[in-house]
Amino acid sequence: MVGKYVTETILADAEGIARAAQVLRDGGLVAVPTETVHGLAARADSDEAVARIYEAKGRPSFNPLIVHVRDMDQARELAEFGEEATQLASEHWPGPLTIVLPRRGKAALADAVSAGLATVALRCPAHPVMRAVLAQCDFPLAAPSANRSGFISPTTTAHVLASLDGRIDAVLDGGPCEAGVESTIVAVRDDGRLDVLRPGPIEMGALSSDGNIEAPGQLASHYAPGKPVRLNATEVAPDDFMIGFGAMSGDCTLSASGSLKEAAARLYACLHEGARSGKPRIAVAPIPDEGIGIAINDRLRRAATPPD
Ligand code: TXA
Ligand code: MG
């Protein structure tokens, strides 16, 4: 879709990274690869820049953003780290773990970043391109997945452009994402208890289900391909776009060898293909509910739930 911006594609070499950092400094929106999915970055300390993220995505203002930091020092300026949080960060950062923590009173963050909550979600990413951009910015980066709100997350630059061309300033092209599903989100409570809010590449145990939806990514319908999705399909109807796994091959196969890691990396690409295909329905082969398969099934269930 073409909107009011000309979206520039910038190659992620040294010059391109410097250019992307300049666009961000000026309050612009840049899609940047991370090791999970592509993020739509803006400076997290600017009300205007953060407002532009919500506008470009069509994201409801009650859905807070993840703030990406370059290191632990920057993270400590934004949130209160107790013992458990410090331990989690030292084990998994840089990497695909987002930690929800009490926001510091004097944190230099736009209010809209945490959508009125007293907490902030922080992640220190591992992708070399995202890290290089963060290193050149003296502010943290708010970055949700770089897709229109509610739609499938992007794992390639082409996916980003299909969703946001003309709505953002630039796309930093650093190749496809490795993990393929979004970061694990864990909230550290005041008493040190951990609640898993979103399963992801880092296994943290069962999804907590105290009935409170704090992360709208937990909403029943999300990652929607815009057509009906049938899960655990063991046979294919003629009008199905089949997403296969293991012995069950399809129009698009998540992993012929039955590797869950490969399946996670290909999940959104297959859903994008299914969304684009001429077939009116998507069917998905059964995926084992173990390891990163838990995150895959979590995303598939939401993709299969029709919007209200
Ligand atoms: O892998 C990822 O996490 C990617 C990359 C770009 O870092 N980002 C991503 O962002 O998936 P997004 O906006 O698509 O999902 C962030 C989730 C949302 O479900 C949001 O509601 C939740 O994080 N979240 C953000 N701040 C929160 C907070 N303070 N408390 C609870 N949930 C929060
Ligand atoms: Mg998202």
Side-chain angles (χ1 to χ4, degrees):
M1 188 207 277
V2 177
K4 51 187 170 174
Y5 303 96
V6 174
T7 302
E8 190 186 348
T9 298
I10 306 176
L11 193 65
D13 55 13
E15 198 184 320
I17 285 166
R19 163 109 192 92
Q22 188 56 49
V23 174
L24 290 165
R25 228 169 270 131
D26 293 341
L29 299 183
V30 183
V32 182
T34 84
E35 69 276 31
T36 55
V37 300
H38 289 258
L40 179 59
R43 54 187 304 164
D45 62 347
S46 156
D47 291 329
E48 293 76 25
V50 168
R52 292 188 58 203
I53 292 184
Y54 284 92
E55 193 192 346
K57 280 183 60 94
R59 182 174 177 113
S61 59
F62 58 77
N63 189 356
L65 306 176
I66 296 176
V67 175
H68 297 68
V69 293
R70 103 172 68 89
D71 57 21
M72 201 57 198
D73 287 347
Q74 195 174 37
R76 285 189 195 282
E77 290 170 13
L78 307 176
E80 309 283 356
F81 278 76
E83 216 175 290
E84 293 78 10
T86 306
Q87 178 69 24
L88 275 178
S90 70
E91 275 170 35
H92 300 291
W93 282 0
L97 179 71
T98 296
I99 312 178
V100 173
L101 294 167
R103 175 176 159 145
R104 286 187 71 157
K106 50 183 193 296
L109 288 174
D111 284 336
V113 155
S114 31
L117 298 173
T119 53
V120 62
L122 296 183
R123 169 156 116 82
C124 177
H127 195 289
V129 172
M130 183 61 155
R131 292 190 65 73
V133 173
L134 281 164
Q136 292 199 16
C137 295
D138 55 7
F139 42 81
L141 292 173
S145 51
N147 53 276
R148 297 292 290 271
S149 183
F151 195 59
I152 309 165
S153 296
T155 50
T156 66
T157 303
H159 293 159
V160 175
L161 288 170
S163 204
L164 296 174
D165 193 13
R167 305 181 68 86
I168 64 177
D169 297 287
V171 177
L172 190 55
D173 186 357
C177 303
E178 200 185 307
V181 292
E182 303 83 349
S183 60
T184 305
I185 304 182
V186 62
V188 182
R189 305 303 184 194
D190 289 342
D191 58 4
R193 201 166 35 91
L194 305 183
D195 274 335
V196 177
L197 302 184
R198 180 173 73 183
I202 293 185
E203 286 174 50
M204 298 278 311
L207 191 60
S208 79
S209 55
D210 55 8
N212 276 337
I213 295 199
E214 304 186 351
Q218 293 170 277
L219 290 174
S221 177
H222 209 76
Y223 316 105
K227 51 181 82 166
V229 178
R230 188 171 90 252
L231 304 183
N232 298 311
T234 47
E235 50 204 58
V236 193
D239 60 356
D240 282 340
F241 178 91
M242 181 68 199
I243 298 182
F245 178 80
M248 203 165 167
S249 65
D251 299 291
C252 181
T253 300
L254 290 167
S255 169
S257 69
S259 151
L260 288 171
K261 189 164 187 272
E262 185 187 16
R266 288 179 47 71
L267 174 67
Y268 291 131
C270 285
L271 283 173
H272 276 278
E273 234 187 89
R276 272 198 316 267
S277 87
K279 303 263 181 75
R281 264 169 253 288
I282 297 175
V284 189
I287 312 294
D289 209 27
E290 62 199 36
I292 200 168
I294 295 171
I296 297 174
N297 283 318
D298 168 78
R299 306 306 190 271
L300 283 172
R301 269 193 301 277
R302 296 172 210 280
T305 303
D308 291 337

